[in-house]
């Protein structure tokens, strides 16, 4: 496990929403299972934080790193928005 995360689950009139604040230290690699485990805890989940992952799709300066490429792959393969 490389991803540090704290989750709050909120009950609404239409169901639950999970908000997860996450941090990935810059010297750690993204592990697919870290994201799968967090996102599979709820059907309605919002993940945010500092995961030190750069990719030209969301980085203004067009920087990319290995974690950014891996994060995009994880998002695409699991239909995460």
């Amino acid at each position: 496990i490389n991803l540090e995360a704290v989750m709050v689950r909120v009950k609404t009139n239409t169901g639950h929403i999970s908000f997860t604040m996450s941090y990935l230290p810059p010297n750690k690699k993204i592990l697919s299972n870290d994201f799968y485990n967090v996102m599979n805890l709820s059907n309605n989940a919002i993940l945010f934080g500092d995961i030190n992952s750069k990719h030209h799709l969301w980085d203004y300066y067009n920087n990319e790193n290995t974690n950014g490429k891996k994060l995009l792959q994880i998002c695409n393969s699991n239909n995460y928005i």
Side-chain angles (χ1 to χ4, degrees), residues 9-61:
R9 191 167 188 213
V10 178
K11 183 178 180 181
T12 70
N13 291 336
T14 59
H16 290 90
I17 301 174
S18 296
F19 297 91
T20 304
M21 172 62 187
S22 58
Y23 176 68
L24 183 73
N27 61 335
K28 298 285 187 173
K29 292 184 179 182
I30 284 183
L31 301 176
S32 298
N33 284 340
D34 287 351
F35 285 90
Y36 301 142
N37 291 338
V38 169
M39 297 304 285
N40 286 330
L41 292 174
S42 175
N43 290 335
N44 298 310
I46 298 173
L47 177 71
F48 59 98
D50 181 0
I51 51 178
N52 287 297
S53 301
K54 297 178 181 181
H55 195 278
H56 71 271
L57 291 178
W58 54 79
D59 186 2
Y60 178 77
Y61 297 105

Side-chain angles (χ1 to χ4, degrees), residues 55 57-58 67-77:
H55 195 278
L57 291 178
W58 54 79
N67 279 343
K69 293 174 187 175
K70 180 69 173 182
L71 178 60
L72 181 62
Q73 177 188 12
I74 292 168
C75 292
N76 286 336
S77 65

